[in-house]
Amino acid sequence: MVLSFVENLKAQPFWVLLLFTAGSLSVLKFSIAFLKWVYVNFLRPAKNLKKYGSWALVTGPTDGIGKGFAFQLARKGLNLVLVGRNPDKLKEVSDSIQAKFGKTQIKTVVVDFSGDLDDGVQRIREAIEGLDVGVLINNIGISYPYARFFHELDEELLKNLIKVNVEGTTKVTQAVLPGMLQRKRGAIVNIGSGAAIVIPCDPLYAVYAATKAYIDQFSRCLYVEYKNSGIDVQCQVPLYVATKMASIRRSSFFVPSTDGYAQAAMRWIGYEPRCTPYWPHSLLWGLALSLPESAIDAWRLRFCLGIRKRGQLKDSRKTD
């Protein structure tokens, strides 16, 4: 049967052979990509994060994805340095973690990333001195209260978006990295956003998306710079997660809870320089890549204009 098929193929015109070859290569390429997707999402084992060090530092751990990471890291047996703005919330999270994982050592550092950042980073340096910090989760970040055009941004919001999202991640990394270099091991996870990478643009959230694009490129460059020094740098790219910042209360198949996202995210630490750990998000990413950019732009603009309208209506009610 195989010989008959080959003979029939030889008898076909050249253009048929060309199309058959191209089609076969496309099927092979898709099959390899699909098998790789299945492996990395469902079969690949997670790395033992304790091999990076016995301590992990998490910024923004009092809510959302950062809180999910803090609990998951404690579950894996790592001690924690929790860095946040609100001392009461830091204590609450710290107590909750220790109630569940009694052996976890926890240090808290109060830093207002929109305030005196240099002073805050110095407190982080002092807190981690002598600690074997092997994992850094740069989760701190802010977005718009709701969608708005660039010219509608007030100066304080514009300043804080850049200071918290860009400066905060950069300077915390600069504070933690030397210790990793000295020990020749470490893992750095920077939380990016689908707004900067998955979709071609995010209108009415321009500065937020731009700061997350910085995080992506910053991470990729550090990945190349320090890979040979035993330090794995990664930008994780979540799409929508049920958080206060995303204004989503309920989780669903395509919108995980913060714990659901963090649990998936732990399996990816130390691997690719850019990833979207929650596998249903990768399906949406694939869909976005298959659609014309102009169609996504038009949909996103309509979607964000709706958010802007609802936000303005809410503001008007406050002033009445």
Side-chain angles (χ1 to χ4, degrees):
M1 183 180 290
V2 175
L3 289 175
S4 176
F5 174 75
V6 172
E7 291 299 324
N8 287 334
L9 197 60
K10 287 180 179 179
Q12 300 301 317
F14 176 75
W15 65 269
V16 173
L17 293 174
L18 194 63
L19 288 176
F20 176 79
T21 303
S24 299
L25 289 173
S26 295
V27 170
L28 178 63
K29 182 179 179 181
F30 173 80
S31 299
I32 292 172
F34 176 73
L35 291 172
K36 180 182 178 182
W37 179 83
V38 171
Y39 173 70
V40 299
N41 281 283
F42 305 108
L43 302 175
R44 184 173 65 183
K47 292 195 175 184
N48 180 5
L49 300 185
K50 293 179 77 172
K51 288 185 177 180
Y52 289 116
S54 56
W55 287 79
L57 188 150
V58 185
T59 63
T62 58
D63 204 354
I65 291 174
K67 186 176 180 180
F69 264 115
F71 274 87
Q72 291 297 326
L73 289 163
R75 180 175 279 110
K76 295 295 183 181
L78 277 79
N79 301 312
L80 300 173
V81 179
L82 304 180
V83 181
R85 180 180 61 180
N86 189 315
D88 294 332
K89 286 186 176 181
L90 283 172
K91 185 178 186 308
E92 182 182 338
V93 171
S94 177
D95 290 345
S96 297
I97 292 172
Q98 289 189 316
K100 196 168 185 179
F101 309 105
K103 294 182 179 180
T104 306
Q105 297 180 57
I106 301 178
K107 284 191 170 191
T108 59
V109 186
V110 178
V111 177
D112 182 357
F113 283 87
S114 63
D116 189 343
L117 189 54
D118 289 337
D119 180 64
V121 170
Q122 180 57 35
R123 288 200 297 277
I124 293 173
R125 285 194 175 98
E126 292 169 359
I128 65 174
E129 188 175 356
L131 297 184
D132 184 13
V133 178
V135 178
L136 167 61
I137 309 293
N138 273 315
N139 166 74
I140 191 71
I142 61 170
S143 185
Y144 295 22
Y146 58 84
R148 56 189 69 181
F149 287 96
F150 177 64
H151 72 272
E152 295 173 334
L153 293 182
D154 59 78
E155 285 300 315
E156 184 178 4
L157 178 57
L158 179 61
K159 179 190 73 174
N160 288 341
L161 281 163
I162 296 170
K163 188 171 186 180
V164 175
N165 295 1
V166 174
E167 271 194 82
T169 295
T170 304
K171 290 189 173 182
V172 171
T173 303
Q174 192 178 39
V176 176
L177 186 59
M180 292 180 173
L181 272 174
Q182 187 177 9
R183 293 183 292 272
K184 297 181 179 178
R185 51 186 166 82
I188 298 172
V189 177
N190 298 323
I191 304 301
S193 171
I197 296 144
V198 177
I199 54 178
C201 77
D202 199 18
L204 280 67
Y205 288 95
V207 178
Y208 171 77
T211 61
K212 290 300 183 177
Y214 168 87
I215 297 300
D216 180 57
Q217 184 69 340
F218 177 63
S219 303
R220 179 71 193 202
C221 292
L222 294 190
Y223 168 83
V224 176
E225 286 183 37
Y226 295 105
K227 183 68 177 174
N228 293 332
S229 300
I231 300 170
D232 297 314
V233 183
Q234 180 181 80
C235 179
Q236 293 197 358
V237 186
L239 277 68
Y240 281 121
V241 177
T243 64
K244 289 180 181 178
M245 191 168 79
S247 300
I248 300 175
R249 294 181 180 180
R250 294 183 179 179
S251 60
S252 63
F253 178 72
F254 285 112
V255 182
S257 66
T258 54
D259 289 336
Y261 175 83
Q263 189 173 357
M266 295 288 287
R267 294 183 59 251
W268 288 75
I269 296 176
Y271 286 109
E272 292 82 359
R274 178 204 282 167
C275 66
T276 182
Y278 183 65
W279 72 264
H281 284 175
S282 65
L283 300 180
L284 296 176
W285 193 333
L287 176 63
L289 290 174
S290 68
L291 296 173
E293 288 190 359
S294 58
I296 299 176
D297 288 346
W299 161 75
R300 190 63 186 172
L301 180 60
R302 287 195 304 272
F303 182 79
C304 293
L305 283 171
I307 296 175
R308 174 176 177 268
K309 187 175 181 179
R310 291 190 295 273
Q312 289 178 324
L313 183 62
K314 190 175 180 179
D315 277 354
S316 68
R317 288 171 179 167
K318 290 179 181 177
T319 55
D320 289 345

